[in-house]
Amino acid sequence: LAQQRLLIKGGKVVNDDCSVVADVYVEDGVVQQVGPNLNPEPPTGLVVLDATDMLVIPGGIDTHTHMQFPFMGSKSKDDFYTGTKAAIAGGTTMIIDFAIPQKGHSLIEAFDTWKSWADPKVCCDYSLHVAVTWWSNKVKEEMKSLVQTKGVNSFKMFMAYKDLYMVNDEELYAAFSCCKELGAVAQVHAENGELIAQGAKKMLAMGITGPEGHELCRPEEVEAEATQRAITIANAVNCPLFVVHVMSKSAARVISNARREGKVVYGEPIAASLGTDGTHYWNKDWAHAAAYVMGPPLRPDPSTPGFLMNLLANDDLSVTGTDNCTFDICQKALGKDDFTKIPNGVNGVEDRMSVIWEKGVYSGKMDENRFVAVTSTNAAKIFNLYPKKGRIAVGSDADIVIWDPKATRTISAKTHHQANNVNIFEGMICHGVPVATISRGKVVYKGGAFNVTAGEGKYVSRPPFPPYVYKRVRQREQVCQPVPVKRVPYTDVVSGTP
């Protein structure tokens, strides 16, 4: 690496549990010391960054991206190079992408394919969730192999995209049971795919072909119903559940209620659902409206982002991703005459940290420590990366961001680093800007300039049974199992139908 030794001086080190003014000394990509007035020897070859009046925070972890994803007749614009480069510019130092096999295809082959795309291109560390899009004994064996030999500890099931990725309740039960056995975290895209398919036919028959039809055929209750069903099925097998891209008040309430009932479930709102809303689907400009099409859709109730942020601030929701899956307007135009053909996906990987600071911290809904929790630490704990990731402490990876809470920037497609020609946060002024991003001890972004090489990021294995998730699950397995009632056998007359 270009920089073996690094000293970050005078900043306020912010972890999820406390903030303290301290210097941070990094050597060989790892934090070696955290404390006041550090003077590591020898001074020669030491790179010093002044963080006075700044926050020094763990690099962001985006739990949900889709780089160069072949989907709906197209491929997402951001590949693993432009996508991770943009992530770094926004203060994110690790992404977790999704390897998604077609129905009937091998999970291991999908994993190997995605890894072969990522390894030569990534500018920051990454990991892979794997999707379960069908069920068989082969899938079960491959899940076991992925956990034991490939460092995968999370599997995503789709309850939507009928005939493409969707699995039924019986398959969900089997997949959740397998996750529980292997010590993996089960993830769901929670929407009722059957109702969406029927709703889409109905909208098209009514002559509604534009982007508004996308939201009208998959309203909130379709997301809330599937969320409730997924939680019920997961609870039946005592499997921890992670609900990806929480988009609506009603789905968020379902998760919040389940957590208050003691269920082991985590909700992931995304930058899009926290930073904008679905009123855009009714914009008179087709291209503008189509730019916001994603699944599940953004909600037309403009109070939704604030509601989700309140729940995120108060631990009803746990982590933030982006579902970053960018398609330009020409790609979106595949659905110019039929909203069901508009490729689903929006941006977010570059803007997530700033959007959450603006809507969460600057607005007074959450403090700096909770910000670190929901952008980095909780993800690291849930997916068993902690404390190597998600924390600034001796022995942690030096994935660090120097953050200026007072600086502002205006988000725009004209200035962002993503490969797309639209940005759903266009014109948003954000307080909170990353001044410098450090990945594995190397300053990869500073003052608007990059110092990155494709392929410099590493694939990070994640061991099974993350303690943060599985401690309660294991204990319940021991003490909360039903037992038969001991009775004296019935010995009287038994009569049946003659």
Side-chain angles (χ1 to χ4, degrees), residues 14 66 70 73 83 85 94 107 109 116-117 120 142 145 211 253 307 327 336 338 340 355 402 448 459:
V14 182
H66 297 283
K85 196 175 168 187
M94 181 172 180
L107 275 66
E109 282 177 21
S116 73
W117 292 342
E142 288 201 329
S145 177
R253 281 193 193 100
F307 182 89
F327 296 100
K336 63 186 174 61
D338 177 350
T340 67
V355 166
I402 299 175
Y459 172 77

Side-chain angles (χ1 to χ4, degrees), residues 97-99 101 107 110-111 128-132 146 152 154-156 187:
D97 208 88
F98 287 84
L107 275 66
F111 173 89
L128 291 170
H129 310 290
V130 178
V132 174
L146 285 165
V152 174
S154 48
F155 294 93
K156 177 184 180 182
Q187 300 173 291

Side-chain angles (χ1 to χ4, degrees), residues 336-356:
K336 63 186 174 61
D337 303 313
D338 177 350
F339 67 82
T340 67
K341 294 184 170 64
I342 300 172
N344 287 198
V346 297
N347 62 284
V349 74
E350 181 171 353
D351 299 318
R352 177 182 69 115
M353 301 282 278
S354 286
V355 166
I356 294 165

Side-chain angles (χ1 to χ4, degrees), residues 215-226:
E215 205 282 334
L216 291 168
C217 80
R218 46 209 303 168
E220 278 202 30
E221 55 264 37
V222 167
E223 184 189 356
E225 181 278 330

Side-chain angles (χ1 to χ4, degrees), residues 216-275:
L216 291 168
C217 80
R218 46 209 303 168
E220 278 202 30
E221 55 264 37
V222 167
E223 184 189 356
E225 181 278 330
T227 303
Q228 181 66 62
R229 184 157 38 101
I231 290 169
T232 304
I233 296 168
N235 193 55
V237 295
N238 193 22
C239 174
L241 185 68
F242 185 99
V243 182
V244 303
H245 50 42
V246 179
M247 302 301 291
S248 66
K249 287 181 174 183
S250 44
R253 281 193 193 100
V254 168
I255 294 165
S256 174
N257 291 339
R259 284 173 68 82
R260 285 160 198 231
E261 289 163 4
K263 295 183 173 72
V264 184
V265 56
Y266 306 95
E268 171 203 76
I270 58 173
S273 64
L274 294 163

Side-chain angles (χ1 to χ4, degrees), residues 66-84:
H66 297 283
M67 304 303 176
Q68 60 195 77
F69 179 31
F71 186 50
M72 294 183 73
S74 202
K75 183 189 277 189
S76 60
K77 292 286 287 186
D78 281 305
D79 65 9
F80 280 96
Y81 177 67
T82 62
T84 55

